[in-house]
Amino acid sequence: MELEHGVAERLSPTPSATERARRAIVDILPGHQTGVRRYLPDFARGWSMPSADDARSAYHHAAGSLSSLRSSLPDLADYLPDIRRTARDARQSLPDPRLPRLSSFQRGMRTQRGVDRLRDNDTLTTLLIAGGALVAVGGAIYITKKIADHTEEPDYDVVRRDGEIEVRDYDAMVVAETVKTGYHEKARKAGFNALADYTSAHNRGGKKIPMTAPVLQQLAEADGQTKGWAIRFVMPKKFSVATLPPPGTNEVKLRDVPAKRIVSIRFNGNFTASLASKKLMTLYNYLADENLKQKGDPEYAFYNPPWTPGFLKRNEIFIEIDR
């Protein structure tokens, strides 16, 4: 084998890259002394490529031939390809064969080591999770406050305040109303979606109507028989029934609500039946103690979007009374 390499070096002092690769494979290939080696030269010889000097010489020869052809056929000069431009375009269209830079590889390794340390450190992981939760809650609080600052509410005057209970006088207002069946929360969600389609102009023409607070919910009755829950959006004060765009569906109605006096109780947290029952009993006791006459069923008021943290949610229960 050494003799063969020596002869090859004499015949081709600067062998091509393919030839050098072929020789390296021959040297390390198992069993090359037992017969496999004799098949490799013929197989690899089909892959051989010219050396750099051979390629350069062929290129100059082709360029000279093309120049001569252009000189002899001037009328066809515009139709002959430009070798340099064609080669440049071909180079630009090929993918970049280079491996990632060492700096990029090092950054990736540092990142992976950091992830491994974080995974192995339970205390640090807990702190990061807690920090992320605080950031999420803080963001929710900030968004809730911004929405509340820019959301219109009905005007009222506080007649009396006794702890968490207030007696209020509300001005007349216009509401968009829909009636939904089902338990309390299911009916409220279905009613909210129907009214949101109206204010967002999804099923009617015209512009959108700004969202207000609160969303109101009250038992709806017809001829003394309960038929579901009435869900109401209070319309902005600048609108009347005549100036509001008509709903695009019969399930939404616009109506005037006259001025009224109500007794309210306010509480925070996620609205539940047990919590609402306790607050409602407090209102009933207040009405009895103050000898106030109730008019109609209680009305539930919800002031915040669903993503508001529970401890920030503002809920109220209204009971209309005689003045």
Side-chain angles (χ1 to χ4, degrees):
M1 184 172 60
E2 292 179 357
L3 179 60
E4 180 181 343
H5 284 185
V7 174
E9 287 291 337
R10 288 179 177 274
L11 295 176
S12 180
T14 56
S16 66
T18 304
E19 176 62 23
R20 292 197 299 271
R22 187 187 69 79
R23 294 177 186 178
I25 293 173
V26 170
D27 291 341
I28 66 174
L29 186 67
H32 69 278
Q33 300 292 346
T34 60
V36 176
R37 175 172 171 260
R38 67 174 178 268
Y39 296 105
L40 187 62
D42 293 337
F43 173 72
R45 192 173 297 117
W47 290 356
S48 62
M49 297 178 65
S51 65
D53 292 337
D54 293 338
R56 190 178 297 108
S57 176
Y59 171 81
H60 288 306
H61 178 73
S65 299
L66 183 60
S67 298
S68 301
L69 181 60
R70 282 181 172 175
S71 299
S72 60
L73 299 172
D75 294 338
L76 298 178
D78 293 337
Y79 300 97
L80 295 176
D82 187 326
I83 290 180
R84 293 182 178 82
R85 184 172 64 251
T86 303
R88 183 178 65 252
D89 294 343
R91 267 198 317 273
Q92 292 175 351
S93 64
L94 292 175
D96 189 351
R98 294 175 296 179
L99 293 174
R101 293 177 180 270
L102 179 60
S103 58
S104 300
F105 179 76
Q106 292 174 337
R107 284 197 298 271
M109 292 299 295
R110 285 196 297 269
T111 301
Q112 184 59 47
R113 287 195 293 269
V115 172
D116 293 339
R117 284 197 298 269
L118 178 62
R119 185 183 297 112
D120 297 336
N121 192 327
D122 294 338
T123 302
L124 182 58
T125 302
T126 302
L127 289 175
L128 287 176
I129 293 174
L134 288 175
V135 170
V137 171
I141 292 174
Y142 176 79
I143 294 173
T144 298
K145 186 177 184 304
K146 283 293 184 182
I147 291 176
D149 290 343
H150 294 85
T151 301
E152 182 181 315
E153 297 182 14
D155 292 329
Y156 62 85
D157 295 321
V158 177
V159 178
R160 186 196 305 179
R161 181 180 290 112
D162 292 310
E164 59 184 354
I165 295 178
E166 289 183 346
V167 179
R168 304 172 182 170
D169 283 342
Y170 276 89
D171 295 335
M173 65 185 74
V174 178
V175 298
E177 178 182 282
T178 187
V179 177
K180 298 296 180 181
T181 58
Y183 63 90
H184 194 279
E185 184 178 1
K186 178 182 178 181
R188 184 170 70 253
K189 288 182 177 178
F192 183 95
N193 291 335
L195 295 174
D197 284 343
Y198 168 69
T199 57
S200 301
H202 286 170
N203 53 13
R204 61 165 176 84
K207 297 181 179 180
K208 295 182 179 181
I209 300 171
M211 187 65 188
T212 63
V215 176
L216 302 171
Q217 181 171 9
Q218 186 179 33
L219 281 174
E221 296 183 355
D223 300 327
Q225 299 297 320
T226 300
K227 67 171 185 178
W229 292 95
I231 315 300
R232 305 181 180 111
F233 280 6
V234 179
M235 296 291 97
K237 291 187 289 288
K238 66 180 181 179
F239 289 108
S240 66
V241 172
T243 59
L244 282 166
T249 174
N250 291 331
E251 68 175 331
V252 176
K253 307 290 185 182
L254 302 176
R255 69 182 186 89
D256 289 305
V257 177
K260 60 185 177 180
R261 174 168 290 183
I262 61 101
V263 178
S264 71
I265 185 168
R266 175 174 175 170
F267 56 98
N268 290 31
N270 293 315
F271 187 93
T272 62
S274 59
L275 179 59
S277 297
K278 292 178 181 178
K279 297 301 179 180
L280 188 56
M281 286 305 301
T282 302
L283 269 185
Y284 284 145
N285 292 334
Y286 182 83
L287 294 180
D289 293 341
E290 299 296 325
N291 196 26
L292 300 173
K293 185 177 180 180
Q294 178 178 348
K295 295 176 62 177
D297 291 304
E299 189 171 27
Y300 303 91
F302 307 91
Y303 286 83
N304 304 110
W307 63 78
T308 305
F311 65 93
L312 286 179
K313 285 184 177 178
R314 175 187 171 189
N315 312 297
E316 293 181 342
I317 302 176
F318 301 157
I319 294 181
E320 185 178 0
I321 60 173
D322 288 332
R323 290 182 183 269

